[in-house]
Amino acid sequence: MTASGLTGAPLTKVWLAGLSFASALLGAFGWRRILRLQLVPNLAHSHEAWRLLTSLMAFPTLSELLTALVLLYQLRAVERLMGTRRFAAFLAVSGLVGQTLTLVGMRLARVNAVAAGPYVLLFACVHQFHLLVPHAYYIRVAGVMVADKWTVYAAAACLLAPRLKVAALLPAAAGVAASMAYSADVAGLKRWRLPLWAGHFAQRWIMPLVSATPGAGATRRASPMVDVAPEQVELVAGMFPDADREHIASVLRMVGNDTSRAAAVLLDS
């Protein structure tokens, strides 16, 4: 059994809300132009390096936004397995490396502009989902047996489908490549973490904006241990005494209570 909703994935919850708000705000005020990432004139002539960040903030169309929200909601499992602090570091690393690779790809492919939106981050998460999240069962879809994870890949394909051209494929491929570099721990990327002050700031000022009432939150915090045997948690905790028990329970739940695989995930963290 897996946790329902966004339990154990606070950063994904913030990302969902922020992506929706930013897309709506930019659309309402006609500011979608800041999402555009072009070599000429934005970067080469105007030196607007800030567009490397703003291009990841939102989507310019409602259809892209809705598809991305569906995909992102399914990708919440990645944060549950990584833990929020490591997931935040992964997004930061993927954004930096992915955008750099996007620029390199634009120069090599002689593409002046890429599709606006956080394609780099989403497809980096899709790659981690493929690596970390085990399938629970197989089902038949259109006569073909596929794992239950197929809905994530279908949502990712739907996000790319309207823009099946280099402008969208480049940042998506760059995101996957950045995730691969992270998994391979190139230049120690996997060991980097956001500073503690950033976590404290987010917990104090950002999380209250998207959190439910304290009572509901307390209920959600108490629920992660329900479907995992305490002895399994303690068994894994014996190997990782510094790991949070709630995080161990979340990992066990995501890997189907397989203690060996849970230990591998925690060791990789």
Side-chain angles (χ1 to χ4, degrees):
M1 181 185 298
T2 58
S4 61
L6 291 165
T7 302
L11 183 54
T12 302
K13 187 176 184 180
V14 171
W15 192 2
L16 281 165
L19 186 60
S20 302
F21 178 76
S23 299
L25 184 69
L26 295 180
F29 287 91
W31 295 339
R32 293 193 184 98
R33 62 184 179 277
I34 72 171
L35 300 176
R36 189 176 304 144
L37 181 62
Q38 294 178 311
L39 290 178
V40 180
N42 299 151
L43 298 178
H45 296 168
S46 302
H47 306 293
E48 296 173 342
W50 51 266
R51 288 183 181 269
L52 292 169
L53 177 62
T54 60
S55 64
L56 300 175
M57 289 173 50
F59 282 100
T61 67
L62 180 60
S63 61
E64 288 175 297
L65 173 62
L66 293 178
T67 306
L69 293 179
V70 171
L71 174 61
L72 182 54
Y73 181 79
Q74 296 182 84
L75 291 173
R76 67 197 185 279
V78 177
E79 180 181 355
R80 288 174 178 163
L81 284 173
M82 283 187 168
T84 298
R85 189 163 179 243
R86 183 186 169 202
F87 183 62
F90 166 72
L91 291 180
V93 168
S94 297
L96 179 61
V97 176
Q99 289 293 72
T100 301
L101 292 176
T102 297
L103 292 179
V104 172
M106 291 169 72
R107 291 296 300 270
L108 293 177
R110 297 185 180 181
V111 174
N112 188 52
V114 293
Y119 285 91
V120 164
L121 299 180
L122 286 172
F123 280 85
C125 289
V126 169
H127 179 257
Q128 287 297 313
F129 180 89
H130 174 72
L131 293 180
L132 298 177
V133 180
H135 65 267
Y137 52 85
Y138 284 91
I139 58 176
R140 188 177 296 276
V141 178
V144 179
M145 295 299 296
V146 295
D148 57 316
K149 296 162 60 174
W150 74 274
T151 55
V152 170
Y153 306 134
C158 287
L159 185 60
L160 284 178
R163 294 176 175 271
L164 267 184
K165 49 189 177 184
V166 177
L169 294 176
L170 258 180
V176 173
S179 177
M180 293 174 67
Y182 179 87
S183 295
D185 199 21
V186 175
L189 293 176
K190 188 181 289 187
R191 297 189 293 274
W192 184 80
R193 295 291 184 272
L194 290 176
L196 288 176
W197 65 262
H200 295 324
F201 176 84
Q203 188 172 13
R204 181 173 181 180
W205 299 105
I206 299 177
M207 288 307 302
L209 299 178
V210 296
S211 297
T213 61
T219 301
R220 286 197 298 273
R221 285 192 295 272
S223 62
M225 299 293 291
V226 172
D227 55 336
V228 177
E231 56 268 22
Q232 287 182 297
V233 175
E234 293 307 318
L235 176 62
V236 178
M239 295 182 281
F240 300 91
D242 296 330
D244 181 73
R245 296 296 197 276
E246 188 171 311
H247 180 52
I248 291 175
S250 178
V251 172
L252 279 167
R253 185 180 307 106
M254 292 303 302
V255 297
N257 291 335
D258 185 332
T259 54
S260 297
R261 182 153 189 177
V265 170
L266 290 166
L267 185 64
D268 191 48
S269 300

